[in-house]
Amino acid sequence: MEEVFEVLTPKGQYTKQTQTREICHKEGLYHKAVFVFIINSKSQVLLQRRSANKKMWPNMWDITAGGHVLAGEFGFEAIIRETKEELGIELKEEDITFIGTMISNNVKGDMIDNHFNEGYIAHKDIDITKLNLQTEEVAEVKWMDKEELIEKIQKGKEGLTGKEGCWECLVRYLLH
């Protein structure tokens, strides 16, 4: 069954319309997405390397987990669902903290991805050897020290996805 999203205006207002993932990305319709960064007690951030078959940023290091908000779904519900699907990590509403929202516009070939992103943080110690990775989405995961990741983001994001605003939102959170 194809995913259906709520269509938003370029200012983020609901249009009372829904559309499929395919149409949203083909026509560049604005819709909601979510991301979460999981941080452990050692101040390391859990990153995932995207699978080689992803249209956007294949084989690049990415946020812990994320994805689209389905029609009728709240952002926090989407991040709980996506984290479970991609990594097998069970998060609860009380595990996550909202850290900001931002617009991102990414184009790759015939795919136009216009998102209103909601960002979340979860503090959790996880044994990454026991994760159940969704292989069509995730190739591998690793912990990265907070300082190393901040430096990588501030020096051009080499090896990281180009997700507008998401990385900067993390840096603001980590530095405050």
Side-chain angles (χ1 to χ4, degrees):
M1 190 170 99
E2 188 164 13
E3 294 174 316
V4 175
F5 309 143
E6 294 177 0
V7 177
L8 307 174
T9 70
K11 292 186 177 184
Q13 300 158 315
Y14 288 95
T15 64
K16 298 183 182 172
Q17 298 173 357
T18 59
Q19 197 50 263
T20 64
R21 169 195 282 266
E22 181 183 355
I23 297 296
C24 284
H25 290 161
K26 182 180 178 183
E27 297 180 10
L29 302 175
Y30 282 86
H31 53 285
K32 288 179 84 174
V34 291
F35 64 91
V36 66
F37 287 102
I38 295 178
I39 302 170
N40 68 15
S41 59
K42 298 177 187 174
S43 293
Q44 296 171 314
V45 180
L46 183 61
L47 301 179
Q48 66 164 269
R49 189 167 60 82
R50 293 167 65 88
S51 76
N53 64 358
K54 297 296 286 180
K55 287 182 184 175
M56 291 258 193
W57 306 297
N59 294 313
M60 303 285 285
W61 287 100
D62 200 3
I63 58 181
T64 305
H68 292 94
V69 178
L70 302 175
E73 189 175 43
F74 289 108
F76 75 89
E77 293 171 321
I79 206 55
I80 290 168
R81 175 181 47 77
E82 289 286 353
T83 306
K84 174 74 172 157
E85 287 174 6
E86 292 179 10
L87 305 173
I89 296 172
E90 300 263 358
L91 293 177
K92 298 181 186 94
E93 185 177 353
E94 58 268 19
D95 294 332
I96 59 176
T97 302
F98 176 76
I99 60 167
T101 187
M102 73 280 316
I103 297 171
S104 64
N105 309 98
N106 297 290
V107 178
K108 172 88 182 221
D110 62 352
M111 184 172 161
I112 306 165
D113 215 1
N114 291 323
H115 287 163
F116 279 87
N117 298 296
E118 290 183 12
Y120 296 89
I121 293 288
H123 291 274
K124 199 169 184 83
D125 288 320
I126 294 167
D127 180 352
I128 62 174
T129 65
K130 295 189 166 125
L131 294 181
N132 183 21
L133 305 182
Q134 184 181 25
T135 55
E136 58 270 15
E137 297 273 336
V138 183
E140 65 179 306
V141 293
K142 72 175 177 180
W143 289 106
M144 185 177 281
D145 290 327
K146 170 178 111 172
E147 293 79 13
E148 180 185 355
L149 184 54
I150 290 171
E151 183 177 339
K152 187 178 271 294
I153 293 165
Q154 292 176 334
K155 290 188 173 177
K157 302 183 194 117
E158 184 179 336
L160 302 176
T161 60
K163 292 188 175 173
E164 288 180 65
C166 300
W167 297 108
E168 292 76 14
C169 194
L170 173 66
V171 169
R172 277 194 315 273
Y173 177 84
L174 292 173
L175 293 178
H176 293 98

